[in-house]
Amino acid sequence: MTLSKPPAASPHRAPRRLKALAAALLVGAGLMAPLAHAAVARDTLVLLVPDGASATSWPVQVWTDSAAEEGIRIRTMTDSQFIALGSAAAAQIAGMILPDSAHITASDAVVAAVTQYANLGGKLMLVYDAGALTDTGFYAAGKSRFSALAGVDYVLYDTLLDRMVGFGPAVGTQAQLDALHLPPGKYVPWTATTTLSASTTSTAAFVTASSSDAGGSKAMRPFIEARALKRIDASSRNVRLAQTQLVRDLLGLNALDALSAPTTSSAPATTTVTVAGTTSTLSKTSTTTSTTSALRLLSKVSTATSWSSLLTKLLSSPGTTSTTTSTTSAGTLVTAAATSTALQAISGYAYGPVSYFSYVTQGSYAGTPLLTSPDHGLVAGTRTVGSGKVMFVNMPLGYFKAIGTDAAPLHGFLNLFATDVVKAPVMSAQPKGVGGLVYNWHVDDGDDLNTDMKALMDTTTVLRRGPFSIHFTAGPDTVTQGDGLGMLLDSNTASQTQFKRVDALAANHELAAHGGWNHDLYGLGADETNAATYLPWVQLNVAAVERLYGKTTTEYSAPQGNNPSWAVNWLEGHGVVGMYFVGDTGTSAVRSWRNGARLTQKLWSFPIAPQGKYATFEEFEDFGVTDATTSQWLQDLQSFVVNHRTNRLFYNHPPGARGHLPVVNALLTRADTLKAAGQFNWYTMTQLAQFNQRRLGVTWSASTVFGFGNFTASHPTSLTDMTWLLPRSAYMMPIITSGRGKVSYDATNWIVTATSGTTLKFSAAEK
């Protein structure tokens, strides 16, 4: 979807004659025998789980939670229920997911039923280790019984043994990563040499797996959990100047190298393979990471699969070009071609390319690859099977969100499966379906507030835009005890004056606490074991902001990204509904998980949108990222949220914004134009968290009768601004048959928005 102005909406109340027509078509004589005319409704996906599976176990709940956050209707179905449907399953289930971690063991009967479902026209999402073990608890002989559906051979324990599961980056084109809702900056160019030549030397990493740990996820858990608990020098320039070298070393990005930089070993590897009938040899030189005994550096497996050919196929697949957009001073949107054929690797804040584990795959893949591993094969792809379609995702999506606090792959693939493969209607996570950004300001110390924020208010219009989420570290000290660098919000007159000026701005910013009283000491010192020491610091900071603000704060950001669970629990109990988060980078607002448990009930995380390895102006300065690059990234991020009708958060500090005003002003000026056109909004964490929590209370469903999809929605208090997106490739223009709402459209979707009331009904003919 490209950035474009939506057309005028239809009237808020459907004309009576249209209601009558819809009623005649949908509630008339034909509905006297609904069973004869009902068809599969596209509104609900099925998550297939073993008999006896618990809905609250993390391998199941992480999927149902994520679907709710994405606005996708999903229900669980047990193996016995599914098998009982027999050949009718394809006609009754719009799309089915066989998840990782929850369904590792599967009987031959389940495998046969799933295979039949896909071949008879079902839409299947097959994820990682699903069905890796038979009901005897051992690997199937030779390869996975789902290999024929996946389109490649995998789970090759008999032949590969401890080299069956690989560990490395996941790469794709810009267009493919955009389709997975990964924003600009969540991927970086994949620059490792990948060429077609006669021979090469390479190293590759592998994960230990066995029938007691079918995909290696248990062995990798300590590593994945540790990778999620990073602390980052997210400090303003003023604070950095006051830090000792010891603090800089502890917090600097280079301190994370133990989790991202590889140890190096070399081993010869030559891989000759076939993809869609072509044979070639892959040459790649790289280094890999081994920081846990679960990882082994071994020579790359010599197989019958050359992944250079697969990468080449990915590059030549349709849809591998995209566009970036810019706005002229007159507000006219212009489109410029952007090259997207170069491979990109999924990356993370502070890490650069992030490694994932996947089964080594072999064979010719006759589908459309979405992600690949330069060393280990196919990571994801879609293909036609019989009359149906299979999306194979060869990484543990649920595991990485629930255990690794890395939600982006799960959310991206779940959304793509629902909207692109199943053509399902979804409920937008945005008020009125309008995308936007959360602009989070961290005011770390006295100079940030009394020098830089003051200058921004005195000499620029930056803070007259918004609303923004602006957070303050309120104590007397900043780096060490007694340094006197803090803003001392409780008693410092100058600080109080500037705080009140921010609060009085017409933009109506949301003000809140940035951590625990002393920026660096809290960021460095707080951990899961010392709540008795550091929780009072959080409480002091929150109380100081609230005394001057005059109301309870509803959002929060943690210094150095350090969010112990006791702090999160206290904040949620205090009424905080949104928080800045350095995990789950690249996603929209989510309810985050850690170590296999959801962190909160109603408190939403707003993950950072990074620019590759970095995320804010001070880091860009330290690591040589130019203003031109930063400006392009921010405007691309803005286009992304508009085009995908979603949200992302980026952040800065007052001295960073003040020192890079051309970058900030370019973004704000473009935002003014897009906002005036109804295409973009600034949101605070509080606005989106409260909206999304209310959205979870909406009950909605669809039924299909006589080729019409009939939608019904209700909410106990208000449906106002709730929005549904119906793929135009699957539906004709919707008609509102009851309640108040409006219908508009863009290049991809029909957009149905409730304007008031507690109930809404609308219908759309299905294509």
Side-chain angles (χ1 to χ4, degrees):
M1 178 165 57
T2 56
L3 188 60
S4 59
K5 183 177 180 179
S10 66
H12 285 224
R13 185 182 291 274
R16 285 184 181 274
R17 60 189 181 85
L18 290 180
K19 289 186 178 181
L21 175 61
L25 288 170
L26 306 175
V27 193
L31 293 184
M32 296 299 291
L35 294 178
H37 302 284
V40 60
R42 292 192 180 104
D43 70 313
T44 304
L45 304 183
V46 162
L47 186 73
L48 187 65
V49 299
D51 292 350
S54 170
T56 58
S57 64
W58 74 256
V60 176
Q61 188 183 347
V62 74
W63 282 89
T64 55
D65 273 7
S66 299
E69 290 155 8
E70 287 291 322
I72 297 167
R73 281 177 49 82
I74 196 168
R75 63 185 177 96
T76 58
M77 178 179 288
T78 66
D79 290 344
S80 294
Q81 292 169 331
F82 176 65
I83 291 172
L85 292 176
S87 60
Q92 296 186 34
I93 299 173
M96 187 170 72
I97 300 169
L98 204 55
D100 68 283
S101 305
H103 215 311
I104 299 172
T105 298
S107 68
D108 288 344
V110 169
V111 173
V114 170
T115 302
Q116 177 180 251
Y117 167 77
N119 277 281
L120 292 180
K123 310 297 192 298
L124 175 68
M125 182 175 177
L126 177 63
V127 187
Y128 193 55
D129 55 10
L133 303 180
T134 69
D135 51 9
T136 65
F138 295 97
Y139 292 115
K143 60 187 177 182
S144 171
R145 293 163 294 167
F146 285 126
S147 290
L149 290 181
V152 288
D153 293 341
Y154 70 112
V155 194
L156 304 169
Y157 185 76
D158 288 350
T159 54
L160 301 184
L161 300 175
D162 58 0
R163 295 178 294 179
M164 178 182 69
V165 178
F167 186 70
V171 303
T173 66
Q174 177 184 328
Q176 297 291 359
L177 296 173
D178 181 79
L180 290 173
H181 282 206
L182 298 179
K186 181 56 184 171
Y187 44 85
V188 295
W190 177 245
T191 55
T193 305
T194 304
T195 61
L196 297 174
S197 61
S199 65
T200 185
T201 61
S202 180
T203 61
F206 297 86
V207 174
T208 301
S210 66
S211 58
S212 62
D213 185 12
S217 57
K218 294 177 183 176
M220 287 295 290
R221 184 163 177 166
F223 175 89
I224 297 301
E225 288 180 343
R227 186 168 74 178
L229 295 176
K230 53 183 173 286
R231 301 185 195 186
I232 299 168
D233 191 7
S235 306
S236 74
R237 176 59 59 199
N238 294 324
V239 174
R240 290 173 184 231
L241 292 173
Q243 289 172 338
T244 65
Q245 188 59 48
L246 175 61
V247 171
R248 296 302 307 280
D249 290 342
L250 286 170
L251 288 173
L253 294 176
N254 291 335
L256 295 167
D257 283 350
L259 292 179
S260 58
T263 57
T264 305
S265 66
S266 297
T270 301
T271 305
T272 303
V273 289
T274 62
V275 176
T278 62
T279 302
S280 54
T281 302
L282 170 65
S283 168
K284 179 179 177 298
T285 302
S286 68
T287 56
T288 53
T289 304
S290 180
T291 62
T292 170
S293 59
L295 277 175
R296 300 185 61 195
L297 284 171
L298 301 170
S299 60
K300 188 167 24 178
V301 184
S302 180
T303 70
T305 305
S306 169
W307 298 109
S308 62
S309 299
L310 193 65
L311 297 178
T312 301
K313 183 176 181 181
L314 188 152
L315 294 177
S316 62
S317 297
T320 56
T321 60
S322 66
T323 59
T324 57
T325 58
S326 59
T327 306
T328 68
S329 58
T332 302
L333 294 172
V334 296
T335 302
T339 301
S340 63
T341 55
L343 291 177
Q344 308 281 331
I346 299 174
S347 61
Y349 184 24
Y351 289 119
V354 175
S355 289
Y356 296 95
F357 44 95
S358 59
Y359 288 109
V360 174
T361 62
Q362 296 180 357
S364 176
Y365 185 64
T368 301
L370 299 172
L371 291 177
T372 64
S373 164
D375 288 315
H376 304 301
L378 181 72
V379 175
T382 58
R383 63 189 293 264
T384 298
V385 176
S387 300
K389 196 166 187 178
V390 175
M391 173 184 283
F392 174 51
V393 185
N394 183 19
M395 72 163 66
L397 299 176
Y399 172 91
F400 278 117
K401 178 174 179 177
I403 305 300
T405 319
D406 185 1
L410 171 55
H411 281 252
F413 279 108
L414 181 57
N415 184 282
L416 186 65
F417 178 69
T419 59
D420 188 65
V421 177
V422 180
K423 306 295 185 185
V426 300
M427 194 174 181
S428 175
Q430 297 297 108
K432 301 179 182 178
V434 177
L437 292 170
V438 176
Y439 193 173
N440 188 201
W441 292 68
H442 294 183
V443 189
D444 292 353
D445 71 354
D447 283 342
D448 280 13
L449 178 58
N450 296 319
T451 300
D452 297 296
M453 287 292 273
K454 180 179 184 300
L456 288 167
M457 287 187 285
D458 289 345
T459 63
T460 78
T461 61
V462 167
L463 291 168
R464 298 179 196 172
R465 274 44 169 261
F468 307 143
S469 289
I470 305 179
H471 301 169
F472 302 81
T473 306
D477 307 314
T478 300
V479 178
T480 61
Q481 289 277 34
D483 63 26
L485 297 175
M487 63 185 65
L488 191 55
L489 201 57
D490 269 335
S491 59
N492 185 292
T493 302
S495 296
Q496 292 174 343
T497 297
Q498 300 310 319
F499 182 97
K500 290 177 180 177
R501 287 184 67 194
V502 176
D503 186 26
L505 291 168
N508 197 27
H509 303 303
E510 195 70 40
L511 310 188
H514 179 40
W517 204 238
N518 181 309
H519 188 276
D520 282 11
L521 284 185
Y522 180 88
L524 278 169
D527 61 35
E528 293 293 340
T529 70
N530 55 20
T533 298
Y534 288 102
L535 179 55
W537 292 26
V538 175
Q539 294 167 330
L540 282 169
N541 204 124
V542 170
V545 171
E546 289 181 347
R547 274 191 290 272
L548 206 56
Y549 196 24
K551 63 180 182 180
T552 300
T553 53
T554 51
E555 52 192 59
Y556 173 83
S557 57
Q560 323 299 6
N562 184 8
N563 258 324
S565 58
W566 49 258
V568 174
N569 293 338
W570 182 85
L571 289 161
E572 182 171 23
H574 187 71
V576 170
V577 297
M579 66 178 179
Y580 152 99
F581 202 60
V582 298
D584 295 322
T585 59
T587 64
S588 58
V590 296
R591 296 166 297 173
S592 290
W593 288 65
R594 184 183 292 167
N595 303 338
R598 204 174 80 194
L599 275 173
T600 65
Q601 296 302 309
K602 297 181 180 180
L603 196 165
W604 291 71
S605 298
F606 288 81
I608 292 171
Q611 185 186 0
K613 192 175 179 179
Y614 317 114
T616 196
F617 287 115
E618 286 81 1
E619 292 164 355
F620 303 154
E621 293 170 3
D622 287 349
F623 295 95
V625 180
T626 66
D627 275 4
T629 298
T630 301
S631 187
Q632 184 65 57
W633 163 64
L634 285 173
Q635 292 190 49
D636 286 347
L637 185 64
Q638 188 177 56
S639 291
F640 175 88
V641 298
V642 170
N643 291 340
H644 289 286
R645 298 184 180 276
T646 186
N647 64 78
R648 293 297 186 272
L649 174 146
F650 74 100
Y651 85 107
N652 67 202
H653 307 94
R658 187 183 175 199
H660 300 270
L661 278 175
V663 175
V664 174
N665 282 330
L667 179 70
L668 296 177
T669 299
R670 188 168 186 259
D672 293 342
T673 301
L674 294 173
K675 187 173 181 179
Q679 297 176 269
F680 173 86
N681 274 326
W682 294 109
Y683 296 100
T684 66
M685 296 184 201
T686 298
Q687 288 173 324
L688 287 177
Q690 290 176 342
F691 175 81
N692 278 294
Q693 194 61 38
R694 180 165 63 93
R695 179 174 62 91
L696 294 181
V698 174
T699 299
W700 69 282
S701 63
S703 60
T704 300
V705 181
F706 285 118
F708 278 80
N710 304 309
F711 294 79
T712 301
S714 64
H715 188 274
T717 58
S718 176
L719 281 175
T720 302
D721 295 340
M722 298 298 168
T723 299
W724 287 262
L725 306 176
L726 280 63
R728 290 179 63 187
S729 60
Y731 291 93
M732 301 296 286
M733 182 176 177
I735 299 170
I736 294 173
T737 59
S738 178
R740 289 183 175 272
K742 62 181 180 180
V743 177
S744 59
Y745 64 93
D746 59 21
T748 304
N749 294 304
W750 300 109
I751 304 157
V752 181
T753 301
T755 55
S756 64
T758 59
T759 62
L760 183 71
K761 294 182 180 180
F762 57 94
S763 299
E766 296 181 349
K767 294 183 178 179

